[in-house]
Amino acid sequence: MRVTIGRRTAVAAVLAVAGAATLTAAFTPVWAHGPTRQKVRESIEINAPQDKVWAAIRNFQDMSWLPPVTKTEGQKGNEIGATRMLTLTGGATVEEELYKYEPDLLSYSYRITKVDVKVLPVTNYSSTLTVSPAPDGKAKLEWAGAFYRGYPNNDPPPELSDEAARTAVSGLYKAGLEALKKKIESGS
């Protein structure tokens, strides 16, 4: 009987230590990990058929509808692997690459391959534009993105934080969607 009690005591001690180790391991990542992937999704209803909205965005080589873009240069059209360089007001540039193009689904996806975090405070950015039906013959345009903040380590400066990244991307999406809505609905 003493052996059984001894084993139970030993097992209880091991479980107590293991439990403490498990709790420590469970909470350590909270203190030790770096940035987490951020996501932004904005959409707008446009009083136009889906085909008309798709026609306005389908050319990967043309981002003239996005307010800060003053010039778009690119290669390979809408082929997977196509590239474009956007020149922004003030002269900064953003380089992007098309990695998915689905005209049957009225959608395409691209990633930023080069951007100064002072221009857009993100890293590892990718996004998708999709046109879908909305009530009363309208179209819904959705712009969804995923990215990491501009500062890859812990304790980022405020201008390169998760919040700064989400705010910048959301603001860009909203401005772009509003500009496109205005352009399409006015017929220009």
Side-chain angles (χ1 to χ4, degrees):
M1 207 164 284
R2 287 184 184 202
V3 172
T4 304
I5 292 172
R7 284 186 185 156
R8 286 185 184 164
T9 303
V11 168
V14 168
L15 288 175
V17 171
T22 301
L23 283 174
T24 301
F27 289 104
T28 299
V30 171
W31 302 104
H33 77 71
T36 56
R37 192 115 169 112
Q38 302 297 304
K39 295 180 181 178
V40 169
R41 182 179 306 270
E42 300 290 347
S43 64
I44 197 164
E45 280 191 13
I46 299 174
N47 190 14
Q50 290 180 80
D51 290 343
K52 187 172 183 179
V53 175
W54 175 245
I57 67 161
R58 71 177 171 214
N59 180 3
F60 180 69
Q61 302 301 320
D62 179 16
M63 279 294 272
S64 62
W65 52 269
L66 187 60
V69 174
T70 59
K71 182 178 171 186
T72 306
E73 298 173 279
Q75 298 176 1
K76 298 185 182 177
N78 292 328
E79 295 177 33
I80 302 303
T83 59
R84 67 183 176 196
M85 183 170 68
L86 308 176
T87 302
L88 310 178
T89 305
T93 59
V94 180
E95 295 179 23
E96 299 175 332
E97 177 184 29
L98 185 67
Y99 69 89
K100 186 187 274 186
Y101 192 80
E102 300 175 302
D104 295 343
L105 300 176
L106 309 182
S107 179
Y108 68 82
S109 301
Y110 66 95
R111 65 180 60 94
I112 291 178
T113 56
K114 184 177 179 186
V115 66
D116 184 338
V117 293
K118 293 175 188 166
V119 174
L120 188 63
V122 300
T123 59
N124 297 318
Y125 169 100
S126 62
S127 74
T128 301
L129 285 160
T130 305
V131 181
S132 59
D136 302 322
K138 296 178 182 178
K140 176 182 171 186
L141 177 57
E142 181 177 84
W143 200 351
F147 47 87
Y148 288 92
R149 67 182 179 225
Y151 188 81
N153 300 318
N154 291 329
D155 303 320
E159 69 275 9
L160 298 176
S161 67
D162 289 341
E163 183 178 343
R166 283 191 311 272
T167 299
V169 172
S170 180
L172 179 69
Y173 288 4
K174 287 176 182 177
L177 294 172
E178 286 291 337
L180 194 58
K181 175 183 175 78
K182 183 178 177 182
K183 176 182 177 177
I184 293 171
E185 289 181 356
S186 71
S188 59

